[in-house]
């Protein structure tokens, strides 16, 4: 089977990778990429990364000479004659040419996936109650100022002339978000004046027990905690024909604690925030304030927010103490669960000072945390005390939390053998090396260890060199555990599954 690899750069930002000079393959000496989770049971994907080494004899990839690479969209594809597959999609974040006119004359491109953008921006949630994880994720993803995959034909302020280009679309990235299984009464009230988007996503996915990742095409994907139970089909079998296997036995947990934080709703119209100092606004200018809620020096959330009311919640004066309260504008730009954003506009010819500025609303007050414990006395007696602590700030339903405790204890209280990593290559497994990706299921059988089980691929790492004739791949694995539990209405009576109330 003849396989060719395509390394393509969208140099003109039109989204099609097909223009002259956009295929870099002829200059590529070595390409390596990875995407997926960082470790078993991680719930959010690590930053996907590709490293591409190119010939640079003509200085085409020296940015100070030819700045056509940095910031551009890049993808890696393969063609086996039957299928053209996308393996990686990202943006060039660093260009590292080797110095020296008589040196090796090489350049390395560092390409990151969309997760990198999630690390760069803080997010807050709007006022949302009784919501699922997928609804929260959709709101969070909409707040991120994503780099558009297509810029050609659109106007960029500061670069292009106004009046000749289209307006950018609202949808910046493609998403596939499964419906979450849990409903959370309140989310985001403990996020202060904002959390990094990746951290906020992590909090929601942990609470749901699902997964979040960007797939090979750069699509944001969320799966709920029933995904594997509803999709048990395997994509490939490996039976003593892998090039390497990382295997271990043990990994017992027999005492698990989970901490929940109850909330109570306070009195309507209470003060959520007030300015501690007078605010000076220069003539003809605007001041923006992120107002983080608190009462009696304790952070709180809010279930509604009332905009400032003239002469009741703020006053404004000029330097000669002339009252101008009703001549300025204070806008409630954004209302969130943990903070709001205010704009103060001063249209006057004089500087002003705003005093007694405050926000009102209905506070959401955190109560003392409650810890729930479950353990397996038999496992403790046999293997010793091994503990694990979980924290679910978003949970308000105790039954949901206890259900997750039971799930965790059932699968962790006995030791077992697990395959951590499987390595192979294109020569031994030409189709699997190209097609298997994150969230695919495989079966692994190995005679020396006596082990056989089904595994979920949670990360893939590829390395291609020697002119594309050598392709090595390793998959990070996690036990699938699809046969341990039973969903009423999905599985058949008589299966060897454990019957549990899966929420």
């Amino acid at each position: 089977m003849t396989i060719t690899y395509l390394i393509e750069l969208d140099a003109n930002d039109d989204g099609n990778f097909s223009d002259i000079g956009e295929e870099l393959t002829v200059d590529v000496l070595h390409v390596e990429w990875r995407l997926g989770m960082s470790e078993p049971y991680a719930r959010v994907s690590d930053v996907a990364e590709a490293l591409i080494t190119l010939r640079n004899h003509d200085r085409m990839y020296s940015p100070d000479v030819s700045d056509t690479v940095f910031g551009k969209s890049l993808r890696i594809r393969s063609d086996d004659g039957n299928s053209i597959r996308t393996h990686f999609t990202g943006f060039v974040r660093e260009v590292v040419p080797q110095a020296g006119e008589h040196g090796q004359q090489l350049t390395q491109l560092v390409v990151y996936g969309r997760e990198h953008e999630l690390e760069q921006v803080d997010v807050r949630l709007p006022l949302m109650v009784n919501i699922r994880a997928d609804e929260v994720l959709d709101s969070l993803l909409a707040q991120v100022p994503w780099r558009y995959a297509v810029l050609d034909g659109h106007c960029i302020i500061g670069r292009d002339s106004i009046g000749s280009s289209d307006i950018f679309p609202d949808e910046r990235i493609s998403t596939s978000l499964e419906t979450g299984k849990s409903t959370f009464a309140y989310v985001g009230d403990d996020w202060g004046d904002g959390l990094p988007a990746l951290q906020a996503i992590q909090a929601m996915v942990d609470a749901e027990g699902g997964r979040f990742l960007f797939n090979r095409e750069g699509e944001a994907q969320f799966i709920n905690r029933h995904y594997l139970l509803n999709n048990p089909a395997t994509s490939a079998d490996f039976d003593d024909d892998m090039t390497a296997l990382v295997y271990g036995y043990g990994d017992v947990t027999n005492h698990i604690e989970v901490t929940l934080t109850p909330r109570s709703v306070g009195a309507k119209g209470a003060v959520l925030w007030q300015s501690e100092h007078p605010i000076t606004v220069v003539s003809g200018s605007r001041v923006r304030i992120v107002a983080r809620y608190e009462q009696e020096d304790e952070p709180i959330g809010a279930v509604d927010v009332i905009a400032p009311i003239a002469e009741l919640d703020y006053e404004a004066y000029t330097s000669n103490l002339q009252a101008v309260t009703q001549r300025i504008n204070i806008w409630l730009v954004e209302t969130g669960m943990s903070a709001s954003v205010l704009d103060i506009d001063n249209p006057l010819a004089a500087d002003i000072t705003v005093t007694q500025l405050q926000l009102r609303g209905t506070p959401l007050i955190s109560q003392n945390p409650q810890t729930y414990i479950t353990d397996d006395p038999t496992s403790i007696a046999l293997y010793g005390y091994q503990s694990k602590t979980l924290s679910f700030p978003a949970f308000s339903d105790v039954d949901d939390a206890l259900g997750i405790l039971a799930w965790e204890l059932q699968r962790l209280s006995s030791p077992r053998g697990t395959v951590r990593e499987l390595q192979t290559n294109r020569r031994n497994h030409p189709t699997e090396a190209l097609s298997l990706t994150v969230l695919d299921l495989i079966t692994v059988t190995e005679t020396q260890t006596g082990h056989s089980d089904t595994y979920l691929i949670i990360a893939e790492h590829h390395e291609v060199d020697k002119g594309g004739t050598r392709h090595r791949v390793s998959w990070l694995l996690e036990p699938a555990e699809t046969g341990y539990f039973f969903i009423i209405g999905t599985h058949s009576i008589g299966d060897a599954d454990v019957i549990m109330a899966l929420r």
Side-chain angles (χ1 to χ4, degrees):
M1 179 186 295
T2 301
I3 300 174
T4 58
Y5 296 88
L6 305 171
I7 315 301
E8 301 161 308
L9 182 85
D10 187 11
N12 61 4
D13 285 315
D14 64 358
N16 62 27
F17 298 91
S18 60
D19 297 303
I20 295 175
E22 292 192 329
E23 186 178 331
L24 312 183
T25 309
V26 66
D27 294 324
V28 173
L29 298 175
H30 181 273
V31 59
E32 184 175 357
W33 69 94
R34 184 192 187 282
L35 61 156
M37 315 299 167
S38 60
E39 60 184 2
Y41 304 108
R43 300 205 174 275
V44 176
S45 60
D46 204 1
V47 178
E49 182 176 6
L51 301 175
I52 300 168
T53 304
L54 307 113
R55 298 183 184 91
N56 192 30
H57 304 304
D58 56 3
R59 302 192 297 169
M60 176 62 70
Y61 308 111
S62 294
D64 287 326
V65 177
S66 177
D67 186 15
T68 59
V69 177
F70 182 79
K72 304 299 184 181
S73 177
L74 183 144
R75 73 181 180 189
I76 301 169
R77 296 191 298 163
S78 67
D79 183 355
D80 64 3
N82 296 314
S83 300
I84 298 178
R85 298 178 175 91
T86 298
H87 294 275
F88 178 92
T89 305
F91 293 90
V92 178
R93 296 300 182 186
E94 190 174 2
V95 184
V96 189
Q98 293 184 6
E101 184 178 355
H102 303 291
Q104 291 183 298
Q105 298 181 338
L106 302 176
T107 287
Q108 187 175 71
L109 305 183
V110 181
V111 190
Y112 289 148
R114 289 289 196 178
E115 297 93 341
H116 177 72
E117 295 172 81
L118 288 176
E119 293 181 326
Q120 310 303 312
V121 61
D122 284 358
V123 293
R124 289 180 294 273
L125 280 181
L127 296 170
M128 303 173 75
V129 298
N130 296 322
I131 51 175
R132 303 183 310 269
D134 58 292
E135 296 173 302
V136 174
L137 294 176
D138 188 56
S139 175
L140 295 177
L141 294 173
Q143 296 180 46
V144 178
W146 301 102
R147 200 281 197 188
Y148 282 100
V150 178
L151 298 178
D152 185 53
H154 299 287
C155 175
I156 299 178
I157 296 174
R159 188 197 73 171
D160 302 315
S161 60
I162 304 297
S164 60
S165 300
D166 295 329
I167 298 173
F168 280 101
D170 291 334
E171 296 296 328
R172 296 190 177 203
I173 62 168
S174 176
T175 62
S176 175
L177 309 177
E178 277 196 339
T179 301
K181 305 306 295 185
S182 291
T183 298
F184 304 103
Y186 308 107
V187 176
D189 56 300
D190 57 350
W191 290 8
D193 52 7
L195 284 183
L198 198 59
Q199 185 179 342
I201 289 172
Q202 179 80 59
M204 285 314 306
V205 179
D206 282 348
E208 165 64 27
R211 304 273 179 153
F212 178 86
L213 67 145
F214 285 89
N215 61 24
R216 289 177 166 188
E217 288 76 24
E219 177 186 61
Q221 187 174 0
F222 166 71
I223 61 172
N224 64 37
R225 60 177 176 265
H226 286 186
Y227 175 82
L228 286 181
L229 298 171
N230 290 320
N231 298 274
T234 57
S235 300
D237 300 318
F238 294 87
D239 190 350
D240 286 330
D241 56 354
M242 62 290 292
T243 58
L245 202 69
V246 178
Y247 170 88
Y249 187 89
D251 193 20
V252 173
T253 298
N254 44 40
H255 177 95
I256 305 178
E257 300 182 3
V258 60
T259 299
L260 307 182
T261 304
R263 280 89 154 178
S264 63
V265 178
K268 188 176 181 63
V271 175
L272 301 176
W273 170 87
Q274 59 185 357
S275 175
E276 296 181 357
H277 308 285
I279 303 167
T280 299
V281 185
V282 176
S283 170
S285 68
R286 172 181 296 178
V287 171
R288 173 159 290 185
I289 301 169
V290 178
R292 181 178 180 179
Y293 314 140
E294 63 178 31
Q295 280 189 353
E296 299 178 355
D297 298 324
E298 291 292 332
I300 58 171
V303 295
D304 65 55
V305 179
I306 304 170
I309 301 171
E311 297 183 358
L312 174 61
D313 287 306
Y314 69 90
E315 295 179 354
Y317 301 89
T318 62
S319 58
N320 60 5
L321 299 182
Q322 178 185 357
V324 291
T325 300
Q326 297 187 22
R327 298 174 60 190
I328 67 168
N329 299 312
I330 298 185
W331 309 99
L332 191 57
V333 178
E334 175 188 322
T335 57
M337 290 294 292
S338 60
S340 286
V341 178
L342 293 166
D343 276 356
I344 306 176
D345 282 334
N346 177 13
L348 306 180
D351 297 349
I352 63 167
T353 299
V354 178
T355 62
Q356 301 179 15
L357 178 61
Q358 60 186 23
L359 285 180
R360 297 180 180 273
T362 304
L364 184 63
I365 303 167
S366 296
Q367 305 297 314
N368 292 329
Q370 297 177 0
T371 299
Y372 298 86
I373 299 173
T374 186
D375 56 28
D376 185 330
T378 302
S379 177
I380 293 173
L382 291 172
Y383 311 117
Y385 181 88
Q386 302 290 330
S387 67
K388 179 179 181 179
T389 300
L390 306 173
S391 180
F392 297 138
F395 263 113
S396 54
D397 190 319
V398 174
D399 288 341
D400 270 4
L402 294 180
I404 290 178
L405 277 182
W407 171 290
E408 293 286 328
L409 192 66
Q410 170 67 35
R411 68 181 185 84
L412 295 176
S413 59
S414 298
R416 56 181 171 168
T418 56
V419 175
R420 315 289 172 81
E421 183 179 329
L422 186 151
Q423 300 174 15
T424 187
N425 55 56
R426 196 188 75 190
R427 182 181 61 186
N428 292 351
H429 295 98
T431 301
E432 292 83 354
L434 298 176
S435 64
L436 291 179
T437 187
V438 180
L439 300 185
D440 281 340
L441 284 172
I442 63 174
T443 59
V444 180
T445 302
E446 205 282 323
T447 301
Q448 180 63 25
T449 59
H451 182 77
S452 181
D453 209 343
T454 303
Y455 286 89
L456 176 71
I457 296 176
I458 59 170
E460 54 180 306
H461 178 229
H462 299 258
E463 190 172 1
V464 178
D465 55 11
K466 295 188 180 299
T469 62
R470 184 171 67 177
H471 180 170
R472 293 169 290 182
V473 58
S474 64
W475 296 295
L476 187 64
L477 303 178
E478 175 185 297
E481 298 166 344
T482 55
Y484 290 178
F485 302 98
F486 180 102
I487 300 180
I488 296 174
T490 299
H491 295 130
S492 301
I493 300 298
D495 289 347
D497 302 307
V498 176
I499 300 179
M500 291 188 66
L502 291 185
R503 297 177 180 273

